[in-house]
Amino acid sequence: ELKVEQNPLFLSMQEGKNYTIYCNYSTTSDRLYWYRQDPGKSLESLFVLLSNGAVKQEGRLMASLDTKARLSTLHITAAVHDLSATYFCAVDSYSGTYKYIFGTGTRLKVLA
Amino acid sequence: DGGITQSPKYLFRKEGQNVTLSCEQNLNHDAMYWYRQDPGQGLRLIYYSQIVNDFQKGDIAEGYSVSREKKESFPLTVTSAQKNPTAFYLCASSSPGTGYEQYFGPGTRLTVT
């Protein structure tokens, strides 16, 4: 069974600090996705990582993918309050049809 | 503007009633998905469809039904057989042309009392 695990589940950090969220998955997959969800809202796509070694950056967020280790990281640099949200990673799985498996989510709270 | 629409945004029903949630996309995506999200939890896959007139059960399909008569539309019916239907329902679509990235609709919050 394909599993996607994120840690930490909850993260409270001070503004200006750096931190990393980890996403481990249990099967071979070359594609990994990061999403952001604000309270009561839908999911917003942040990054699509399509191959081993892929690195993408947008503002204070940087995501990377190591398919050999089955690990993706979402690094937060100099956190600001606006980054407070829940972050999900997901991988796709193909067995005749594509479906996506989501991680448990990391609830991030950035304190002023 | 291309995107996914879900309606209604909020839906209230009495126990024992079936209810249908709408999902429409104009992105020309072949694949569409329905997820359920409970408070403080992740997403769980209900049903998905890769092409018109074909769909597959996800991890929690019991008590739900879908149809895919048109490429643009993938309605979800929550039946009275679903024991705990109160949740946030999200529809998504994807395409190989976008790296299989999923695009999500705004969601429907269903409350059953």
Side-chain angles (χ1 to χ4, degrees), chain A residues 31 33 35 37 40-43 45 48 50 88 92 96-104 107, chain B residues 33 35 37 40-43 45 48 50 56 59 88 90 94 99-102 104-106 109:
Chain A
R31 287 187 292 267
Y33 312 86
Y35 295 89
Q37 186 179 35
K41 303 291 187 183
S42 184
L43 271 70
S45 180
V48 179
L50 297 177
F88 290 97
D92 60 37
T97 56
Y98 277 102
K99 65 177 186 177
Y100 299 77
I101 311 299
F102 282 78
T104 46
R107 192 175 302 174
Chain B
Y33 305 79
Y35 296 92
Q37 186 178 36
Q41 304 297 312
L43 276 66
L45 182 64
Y48 58 112
Q50 302 290 311
Q56 289 75 39
D59 302 317
F88 188 42
L90 288 161
S94 71
Y100 296 97
E101 176 185 6
Q102 283 195 307
F104 283 84
R109 195 166 299 277

Short mmCIF file of all heavy atoms in Angstrom, two decimals, chain A residues 31 33 35 37 40-43 45 48 50 88 92 96-104 107, chain B residues 33 35 37 40-43 45 48 50 56 59 88 90 94 99-102 104-106 109:
data_model
loop_
_atom_site.label_atom_id
_atom_site.label_comp_id
_atom_site.label_asym_id
_atom_site.label_seq_id
_atom_site.Cartn_x
_atom_site.Cartn_y
_atom_site.Cartn_z
N ARG A 31 7.11 11.71 -9.58
CA ARG A 31 6.44 13.00 -9.51
C ARG A 31 5.91 13.25 -8.10
O ARG A 31 5.29 12.37 -7.50
CB ARG A 31 5.28 13.06 -10.51
CG ARG A 31 5.73 13.17 -11.94
CD ARG A 31 4.54 13.40 -12.85
NE ARG A 31 3.70 12.24 -12.90
CZ ARG A 31 3.79 11.28 -13.82
NH1 ARG A 31 4.72 11.36 -14.74
NH2 ARG A 31 2.98 10.26 -13.80
N TYR A 33 4.11 16.48 -5.57
CA TYR A 33 3.39 17.74 -5.62
C TYR A 33 3.29 18.32 -4.21
O TYR A 33 3.08 17.59 -3.24
CB TYR A 33 1.98 17.53 -6.18
CG TYR A 33 1.96 16.71 -7.45
CD1 TYR A 33 1.94 15.33 -7.40
CD2 TYR A 33 1.98 17.32 -8.70
CE1 TYR A 33 1.94 14.56 -8.56
CE2 TYR A 33 1.97 16.55 -9.86
CZ TYR A 33 1.96 15.18 -9.78
OH TYR A 33 1.96 14.42 -10.93
N TYR A 35 1.17 21.31 -1.98
CA TYR A 35 0.01 22.17 -1.97
C TYR A 35 -0.06 22.94 -0.66
O TYR A 35 0.43 22.47 0.37
CB TYR A 35 -1.29 21.35 -2.10
CG TYR A 35 -1.43 20.62 -3.41
CD1 TYR A 35 -0.94 19.33 -3.56
CD2 TYR A 35 -2.07 21.22 -4.50
CE1 TYR A 35 -1.08 18.66 -4.76
CE2 TYR A 35 -2.21 20.55 -5.69
CZ TYR A 35 -1.71 19.27 -5.82
OH TYR A 35 -1.85 18.60 -7.01
N GLN A 37 -2.95 24.87 1.89
CA GLN A 37 -4.36 25.02 2.18
C GLN A 37 -4.54 26.00 3.34
O GLN A 37 -4.03 25.78 4.44
CB GLN A 37 -5.03 23.68 2.53
CG GLN A 37 -6.53 23.80 2.70
CD GLN A 37 -7.21 22.48 3.01
OE1 GLN A 37 -6.65 21.63 3.70
NE2 GLN A 37 -8.40 22.29 2.48
N GLY A 40 -10.42 26.60 5.86
CA GLY A 40 -11.71 26.73 5.18
C GLY A 40 -11.64 26.85 3.67
O GLY A 40 -12.67 27.02 3.02
N LYS A 41 -10.44 26.78 3.12
CA LYS A 41 -10.27 26.97 1.67
C LYS A 41 -9.85 25.67 0.99
O LYS A 41 -9.56 24.67 1.63
CB LYS A 41 -9.20 28.04 1.41
CG LYS A 41 -9.49 29.37 2.05
CD LYS A 41 -10.66 30.06 1.41
CE LYS A 41 -10.83 31.47 1.97
NZ LYS A 41 -12.03 32.13 1.39
N SER A 42 -9.79 25.74 -0.33
CA SER A 42 -9.35 24.60 -1.13
C SER A 42 -7.83 24.54 -1.16
O SER A 42 -7.14 25.32 -0.50
CB SER A 42 -9.91 24.74 -2.54
OG SER A 42 -9.58 23.62 -3.32
N LEU A 43 -7.31 23.61 -1.94
CA LEU A 43 -5.86 23.45 -2.06
C LEU A 43 -5.34 24.30 -3.21
O LEU A 43 -5.93 24.34 -4.30
CB LEU A 43 -5.50 21.99 -2.30
CG LEU A 43 -5.28 21.14 -1.06
CD1 LEU A 43 -6.59 20.91 -0.34
CD2 LEU A 43 -4.63 19.81 -1.43
N SER A 45 -1.94 24.82 -5.59
CA SER A 45 -0.71 24.17 -6.00
C SER A 45 0.49 25.09 -5.77
O SER A 45 0.45 26.26 -6.13
CB SER A 45 -0.80 23.79 -7.48
OG SER A 45 0.38 23.17 -7.90
N VAL A 48 5.40 21.48 -8.53
CA VAL A 48 5.33 20.18 -9.18
C VAL A 48 6.77 19.75 -9.44
O VAL A 48 7.51 20.44 -10.14
CB VAL A 48 4.56 20.26 -10.52
CG1 VAL A 48 4.54 18.90 -11.20
CG2 VAL A 48 3.16 20.77 -10.29
N LEU A 50 9.10 16.92 -10.99
CA LEU A 50 8.87 15.87 -11.99
C LEU A 50 10.01 14.89 -12.17
O LEU A 50 9.90 13.95 -12.95
CB LEU A 50 8.55 16.51 -13.34
CG LEU A 50 7.27 17.35 -13.36
CD1 LEU A 50 7.10 17.99 -14.74
CD2 LEU A 50 6.06 16.50 -13.01
N PHE A 88 0.51 20.25 2.21
CA PHE A 88 0.37 18.84 1.87
C PHE A 88 1.33 18.48 0.75
O PHE A 88 1.51 19.26 -0.19
CB PHE A 88 -1.04 18.54 1.36
CG PHE A 88 -2.12 18.62 2.40
CD1 PHE A 88 -2.89 19.76 2.55
CD2 PHE A 88 -2.38 17.52 3.21
CE1 PHE A 88 -3.89 19.82 3.50
CE2 PHE A 88 -3.39 17.57 4.16
CZ PHE A 88 -4.13 18.72 4.31
N ASP A 92 1.80 10.65 -7.20
CA ASP A 92 0.82 9.94 -8.01
C ASP A 92 1.22 8.48 -8.16
O ASP A 92 2.39 8.12 -8.03
CB ASP A 92 0.58 10.61 -9.37
CG ASP A 92 1.84 10.70 -10.21
OD1 ASP A 92 2.67 9.77 -10.19
OD2 ASP A 92 1.99 11.72 -10.90
N GLY A 96 -2.81 1.22 -14.03
CA GLY A 96 -3.87 1.25 -15.03
C GLY A 96 -4.51 2.61 -15.14
O GLY A 96 -4.88 3.06 -16.22
N THR A 97 -4.65 3.26 -14.03
CA THR A 97 -5.14 4.64 -14.00
C THR A 97 -4.33 5.41 -12.98
O THR A 97 -3.74 4.81 -12.07
CB THR A 97 -6.63 4.71 -13.60
OG1 THR A 97 -6.80 4.05 -12.33
CG2 THR A 97 -7.52 4.04 -14.64
N TYR A 98 -4.30 6.71 -13.13
CA TYR A 98 -3.55 7.54 -12.19
C TYR A 98 -4.42 7.92 -11.02
O TYR A 98 -5.57 8.33 -11.19
CB TYR A 98 -3.06 8.82 -12.86
CG TYR A 98 -1.78 8.65 -13.63
CD1 TYR A 98 -1.80 8.53 -15.01
CD2 TYR A 98 -0.56 8.61 -12.97
CE1 TYR A 98 -0.63 8.35 -15.72
CE2 TYR A 98 0.62 8.44 -13.68
CZ TYR A 98 0.58 8.32 -15.05
OH TYR A 98 1.73 8.16 -15.75
N LYS A 99 -3.86 7.80 -9.82
CA LYS A 99 -4.50 8.41 -8.68
C LYS A 99 -3.42 8.99 -7.78
O LYS A 99 -2.23 8.71 -7.97
CB LYS A 99 -5.37 7.42 -7.91
CG LYS A 99 -4.65 6.28 -7.25
CD LYS A 99 -5.65 5.45 -6.47
CE LYS A 99 -4.96 4.38 -5.68
NZ LYS A 99 -5.93 3.59 -4.86
N TYR A 100 -3.82 9.82 -6.85
CA TYR A 100 -2.89 10.57 -6.04
C TYR A 100 -3.06 10.19 -4.58
O TYR A 100 -4.18 10.02 -4.10
CB TYR A 100 -3.14 12.08 -6.20
CG TYR A 100 -2.97 12.56 -7.62
CD1 TYR A 100 -3.96 12.32 -8.56
CD2 TYR A 100 -1.82 13.23 -8.01
CE1 TYR A 100 -3.80 12.75 -9.86
CE2 TYR A 100 -1.66 13.66 -9.32
CZ TYR A 100 -2.65 13.41 -10.24
OH TYR A 100 -2.50 13.82 -11.53
N ILE A 101 -1.93 10.10 -3.90
CA ILE A 101 -1.95 9.81 -2.47
C ILE A 101 -1.38 11.03 -1.76
O ILE A 101 -0.28 11.47 -2.06
CB ILE A 101 -1.10 8.58 -2.13
CG1 ILE A 101 -1.44 7.40 -3.05
CG2 ILE A 101 -1.29 8.21 -0.66
CD1 ILE A 101 -2.86 6.92 -2.98
N PHE A 102 -2.15 11.54 -0.81
CA PHE A 102 -1.75 12.74 -0.09
C PHE A 102 -1.13 12.40 1.26
O PHE A 102 -1.53 11.43 1.91
CB PHE A 102 -2.96 13.65 0.13
CG PHE A 102 -3.33 14.42 -1.09
CD1 PHE A 102 -4.04 13.82 -2.13
CD2 PHE A 102 -2.96 15.74 -1.23
CE1 PHE A 102 -4.36 14.53 -3.27
CE2 PHE A 102 -3.27 16.47 -2.37
CZ PHE A 102 -3.97 15.85 -3.39
N GLY A 103 -0.20 13.22 1.66
CA GLY A 103 0.34 13.13 3.00
C GLY A 103 -0.66 13.64 4.02
O GLY A 103 -1.73 14.16 3.66
N THR A 104 -0.31 13.50 5.26
CA THR A 104 -1.19 13.86 6.36
C THR A 104 -1.31 15.36 6.55
O THR A 104 -2.21 15.83 7.23
CB THR A 104 -0.69 13.23 7.66
OG1 THR A 104 0.73 13.47 7.74
CG2 THR A 104 -0.93 11.73 7.67
N ARG A 107 0.69 21.39 9.63
CA ARG A 107 0.03 22.65 9.98
C ARG A 107 1.10 23.60 10.51
O ARG A 107 1.69 23.37 11.56
CB ARG A 107 -1.06 22.41 11.02
CG ARG A 107 -1.97 23.61 11.22
CD ARG A 107 -3.11 23.29 12.15
NE ARG A 107 -3.90 22.16 11.67
CZ ARG A 107 -4.90 21.61 12.37
NH1 ARG A 107 -5.20 22.07 13.56
NH2 ARG A 107 -5.58 20.61 11.88
N TYR B 33 -11.41 13.96 -10.16
CA TYR B 33 -11.30 13.27 -8.87
C TYR B 33 -12.24 13.93 -7.86
O TYR B 33 -12.45 15.14 -7.88
CB TYR B 33 -9.87 13.37 -8.34
CG TYR B 33 -8.82 12.85 -9.29
CD1 TYR B 33 -8.38 13.64 -10.35
CD2 TYR B 33 -8.27 11.59 -9.12
CE1 TYR B 33 -7.42 13.18 -11.24
CE2 TYR B 33 -7.31 11.12 -10.01
CZ TYR B 33 -6.89 11.92 -11.05
OH TYR B 33 -5.95 11.45 -11.92
N TYR B 35 -12.56 14.15 -3.59
CA TYR B 35 -11.94 13.89 -2.30
C TYR B 35 -12.87 14.36 -1.19
O TYR B 35 -13.65 15.29 -1.35
CB TYR B 35 -10.62 14.64 -2.15
CG TYR B 35 -9.54 14.23 -3.11
CD1 TYR B 35 -9.38 14.89 -4.32
CD2 TYR B 35 -8.67 13.19 -2.80
CE1 TYR B 35 -8.38 14.54 -5.21
CE2 TYR B 35 -7.67 12.82 -3.68
CZ TYR B 35 -7.53 13.50 -4.87
OH TYR B 35 -6.54 13.14 -5.74
N GLN B 37 -12.60 15.69 2.87
CA GLN B 37 -11.68 16.14 3.91
C GLN B 37 -12.48 16.41 5.18
O GLN B 37 -13.44 17.20 5.17
CB GLN B 37 -10.93 17.41 3.49
CG GLN B 37 -9.86 17.81 4.48
CD GLN B 37 -9.08 19.04 4.04
OE1 GLN B 37 -9.63 19.96 3.45
NE2 GLN B 37 -7.78 19.04 4.33
N GLY B 40 -9.29 19.03 10.19
CA GLY B 40 -7.96 18.73 10.68
C GLY B 40 -7.32 17.51 10.06
O GLY B 40 -6.27 17.06 10.53
N GLN B 41 -7.93 16.99 9.01
CA GLN B 41 -7.42 15.77 8.38
C GLN B 41 -6.93 16.03 6.96
O GLN B 41 -7.12 17.12 6.41
CB GLN B 41 -8.53 14.70 8.36
CG GLN B 41 -9.11 14.38 9.71
CD GLN B 41 -8.09 13.78 10.65
OE1 GLN B 41 -7.37 12.86 10.28
NE2 GLN B 41 -8.01 14.29 11.87
N GLY B 42 -6.36 14.99 6.39
CA GLY B 42 -5.92 15.07 5.01
C GLY B 42 -7.04 14.74 4.04
O GLY B 42 -8.21 14.70 4.42
N LEU B 43 -6.67 14.51 2.79
CA LEU B 43 -7.65 14.22 1.74
C LEU B 43 -7.78 12.72 1.54
O LEU B 43 -6.78 12.00 1.49
CB LEU B 43 -7.22 14.86 0.42
CG LEU B 43 -7.59 16.32 0.20
CD1 LEU B 43 -6.87 17.23 1.17
CD2 LEU B 43 -7.30 16.72 -1.23
N LEU B 45 -9.56 9.87 -1.08
CA LEU B 45 -10.10 9.72 -2.43
C LEU B 45 -11.40 8.94 -2.41
O LEU B 45 -11.46 7.83 -1.89
CB LEU B 45 -9.07 9.03 -3.32
CG LEU B 45 -9.42 8.82 -4.77
CD1 LEU B 45 -9.58 10.15 -5.49
CD2 LEU B 45 -8.34 7.98 -5.46
N TYR B 48 -12.66 8.43 -8.88
CA TYR B 48 -11.93 9.15 -9.90
C TYR B 48 -12.28 8.60 -11.28
O TYR B 48 -12.75 7.46 -11.40
CB TYR B 48 -10.41 9.13 -9.65
CG TYR B 48 -9.76 7.78 -9.55
CD1 TYR B 48 -8.88 7.35 -10.54
CD2 TYR B 48 -9.97 6.97 -8.45
CE1 TYR B 48 -8.25 6.13 -10.44
CE2 TYR B 48 -9.34 5.74 -8.35
CZ TYR B 48 -8.47 5.33 -9.33
OH TYR B 48 -7.86 4.11 -9.23
N GLN B 50 -10.88 8.67 -15.46
CA GLN B 50 -9.84 9.04 -16.42
C GLN B 50 -10.44 9.44 -17.77
O GLN B 50 -9.83 10.20 -18.52
CB GLN B 50 -8.88 7.87 -16.64
CG GLN B 50 -8.20 7.40 -15.37
CD GLN B 50 -7.17 8.38 -14.84
OE1 GLN B 50 -6.33 8.87 -15.59
NE2 GLN B 50 -7.22 8.69 -13.56
N GLN B 56 -13.56 4.90 -11.37
CA GLN B 56 -13.07 3.88 -10.44
C GLN B 56 -13.33 4.31 -9.00
O GLN B 56 -13.30 5.50 -8.68
CB GLN B 56 -11.56 3.66 -10.59
CG GLN B 56 -11.14 2.97 -11.88
CD GLN B 56 -11.22 3.88 -13.08
OE1 GLN B 56 -10.89 5.05 -13.00
NE2 GLN B 56 -11.69 3.33 -14.19
N ASP B 59 -10.65 5.13 -2.12
CA ASP B 59 -10.48 4.44 -0.85
C ASP B 59 -11.74 4.43 0.02
O ASP B 59 -11.88 3.60 0.91
CB ASP B 59 -9.34 5.10 -0.06
CG ASP B 59 -8.03 5.07 -0.83
OD1 ASP B 59 -7.73 4.00 -1.43
OD2 ASP B 59 -7.33 6.09 -0.88
N PHE B 88 -16.00 18.35 4.07
CA PHE B 88 -15.63 19.29 3.01
C PHE B 88 -15.27 18.43 1.81
O PHE B 88 -14.41 17.54 1.89
CB PHE B 88 -14.44 20.12 3.48
CG PHE B 88 -14.04 21.25 2.59
CD1 PHE B 88 -14.99 22.06 2.00
CD2 PHE B 88 -12.71 21.54 2.36
CE1 PHE B 88 -14.63 23.13 1.20
CE2 PHE B 88 -12.33 22.61 1.56
CZ PHE B 88 -13.29 23.40 0.98
N LEU B 90 -13.93 18.09 -2.08
CA LEU B 90 -13.10 18.77 -3.07
C LEU B 90 -13.07 17.97 -4.37
O LEU B 90 -12.89 16.76 -4.36
CB LEU B 90 -11.68 18.93 -2.54
CG LEU B 90 -11.51 19.96 -1.43
CD1 LEU B 90 -10.23 19.73 -0.67
CD2 LEU B 90 -11.54 21.36 -2.03
N SER B 94 -6.92 16.75 -13.69
CA SER B 94 -5.51 16.74 -14.07
C SER B 94 -5.38 16.30 -15.52
O SER B 94 -6.31 15.74 -16.11
CB SER B 94 -4.69 15.82 -13.17
OG SER B 94 -4.99 14.47 -13.41
N GLY B 99 1.90 17.99 -16.48
CA GLY B 99 2.72 17.21 -15.56
C GLY B 99 1.89 16.46 -14.55
O GLY B 99 2.37 16.13 -13.46
N TYR B 100 0.61 16.24 -14.91
CA TYR B 100 -0.32 15.54 -14.02
C TYR B 100 -0.62 16.32 -12.75
O TYR B 100 -1.14 15.78 -11.78
CB TYR B 100 0.16 14.13 -13.67
CG TYR B 100 0.24 13.22 -14.87
CD1 TYR B 100 1.44 13.01 -15.53
CD2 TYR B 100 -0.91 12.58 -15.35
CE1 TYR B 100 1.50 12.18 -16.64
CE2 TYR B 100 -0.85 11.76 -16.46
CZ TYR B 100 0.37 11.57 -17.09
OH TYR B 100 0.43 10.75 -18.18
N GLU B 101 -0.30 17.61 -12.76
CA GLU B 101 -0.63 18.45 -11.61
C GLU B 101 -2.14 18.51 -11.45
O GLU B 101 -2.86 18.68 -12.41
CB GLU B 101 -0.09 19.85 -11.82
CG GLU B 101 -0.44 20.85 -10.75
CD GLU B 101 0.04 22.24 -11.10
OE1 GLU B 101 0.54 22.43 -12.23
OE2 GLU B 101 -0.09 23.13 -10.25
N GLN B 102 -2.62 18.37 -10.23
CA GLN B 102 -4.05 18.45 -9.98
C GLN B 102 -4.46 19.88 -9.72
O GLN B 102 -3.80 20.61 -8.96
CB GLN B 102 -4.43 17.60 -8.76
CG GLN B 102 -4.49 16.13 -9.04
CD GLN B 102 -5.21 15.38 -7.95
OE1 GLN B 102 -4.90 15.50 -6.77
NE2 GLN B 102 -6.19 14.58 -8.33
N PHE B 104 -7.60 22.11 -8.21
CA PHE B 104 -8.72 21.90 -7.31
C PHE B 104 -9.79 22.96 -7.47
O PHE B 104 -9.49 24.14 -7.70
CB PHE B 104 -8.24 21.89 -5.85
CG PHE B 104 -7.58 20.60 -5.46
CD1 PHE B 104 -6.25 20.38 -5.72
CD2 PHE B 104 -8.32 19.60 -4.84
CE1 PHE B 104 -5.65 19.17 -5.38
CE2 PHE B 104 -7.73 18.39 -4.48
CZ PHE B 104 -6.39 18.18 -4.76
N GLY B 105 -11.04 22.53 -7.29
CA GLY B 105 -12.14 23.46 -7.20
C GLY B 105 -12.18 24.08 -5.80
O GLY B 105 -11.42 23.69 -4.92
N PRO B 106 -13.10 25.02 -5.58
CA PRO B 106 -13.17 25.72 -4.29
C PRO B 106 -13.78 24.90 -3.17
O PRO B 106 -13.67 25.28 -2.00
CB PRO B 106 -14.04 26.94 -4.60
CG PRO B 106 -14.87 26.51 -5.76
CD PRO B 106 -14.02 25.58 -6.56
N ARG B 109 -18.96 22.52 1.21
CA ARG B 109 -19.04 22.09 2.61
C ARG B 109 -20.44 21.57 2.86
O ARG B 109 -21.41 22.32 2.81
CB ARG B 109 -18.72 23.25 3.55
CG ARG B 109 -18.43 22.82 4.97
CD ARG B 109 -17.79 23.95 5.77
NE ARG B 109 -16.52 24.39 5.22
CZ ARG B 109 -15.35 23.81 5.45
NH1 ARG B 109 -15.30 22.74 6.23
NH2 ARG B 109 -14.26 24.29 4.93
#
